[in-house]
Amino acid sequence: MHPFTYTRVFDTREAVNAGQRGGRYIAGGTTLVDLMRETVERPGTLVDITGLPLGEVSVTERGGLRIGALVRMAEAAADPKVRALYPVISQALELSASAQLRNMATIGGNLMQRTRCPYFRDVTAACNKREPGSGCAAHKGFNRTHAILGTSDACVATHPSDVAVAFAALEARLHLTGSDGPRTVSLADFLLRPGTTPNSEQAIRQGELITAVEIPDHPRPLKSGYLKVRDRQSYEFALTSAAVALHIRDGVIREAKVAAGGVGTVPWKLPAVERRLIGERPSKRLWAEAAERAADGARPLRHNRFKVELLKRTVERQLRIVGGDQ
Ligand code: SF4
């Protein structure tokens, strides 16, 4: 591990000033410390933000949900408001990582975590994300767990987060603060596809800090849930996953929010699936027809062609679980 200095801050302005000077924020440290040990990350200064007052979950005036950036994953998963309003969020969190990691890792850190592509973590491998211009070892290497959607010639790494898939489905917005003051941005605009610059993963400015995630209110009743398919049932990343939220009134689907994980370079919203559902009556046939659109535009690699069919089946199954097995 390379030498670094450590400082602790207790108000947001102090944090932003330290970030402006090049400090890296640390809270749970469940990604950053690993990467520092492997010398993938070499920050000169760590700015410990765990003393900031960003640890609340609250219902907004408009009936949505606001989750502070420093709420631990386990706390958010167990929060009665999260469980009651958006089970898809608590389920995604409970299926993430391990209990120990969920007790440490924060919601803001989850959205700032870096890819789990093994070549990214191997400093002897070519990786455009770690070292721009060096190439991508995954393209010709073992790419079974890599992305099939949103990829580029420069990078095919999947986004690792589960809860970000639930946030994407629900069209979450992020609250940030920086030297120019506070601003909000949609999660869809915040998490970047690799394009030609895979080293740039989030649309965040120097010194900016995530302060909260806001889920807009959605019409009620809203049924929602998260399904994760993986090689083993614990402490494993998704091969495919599906976050589904459905508003069904008088037997008709009025609103559908669907996103997939484990398949995209960012959490992958599925508007074609949503469009097929809205205005229809739930049925087994509808779930299957909608899910058939889940992999539109997929570009599988040598070892992950199975994800195309697995994604469709994952979405179909989760639509059935949430919407009913009519
Ligand atoms: Fe690096 Fe992306 Fe290629 Fe993985 S897929 S080796 S993260 S450039």
Side-chain angles (χ1 to χ4, degrees), residues 159-220:
H159 193 273
S161 172
D162 290 294
V163 74
V165 180
F167 289 159
L170 296 168
E171 290 152 11
R173 293 188 69 77
L174 303 192
H175 292 258
L176 300 114
T177 192
S179 56
D180 297 333
R183 70 177 175 114
T184 64
V185 62
S186 70
L187 182 71
D189 288 337
F190 181 75
L191 296 176
L192 304 175
R193 297 186 197 186
T196 55
T197 54
N199 52 311
S200 182
E201 294 176 301
Q202 293 96 6
I204 195 160
R205 302 167 187 160
Q206 173 84 38
E208 240 180 359
L209 183 68
I210 301 174
T211 55
V213 178
E214 185 170 338
I215 313 299
D217 187 27
H218 291 279
R220 304 274 157 189

Side-chain angles (χ1 to χ4, degrees), residues 2-7 23-24 36 43-48:
H2 284 249
F4 60 91
T5 58
Y6 169 88
T7 180
R24 286 288 301 276
M36 288 170 67
T45 302
L46 288 185
V47 182
D48 183 337

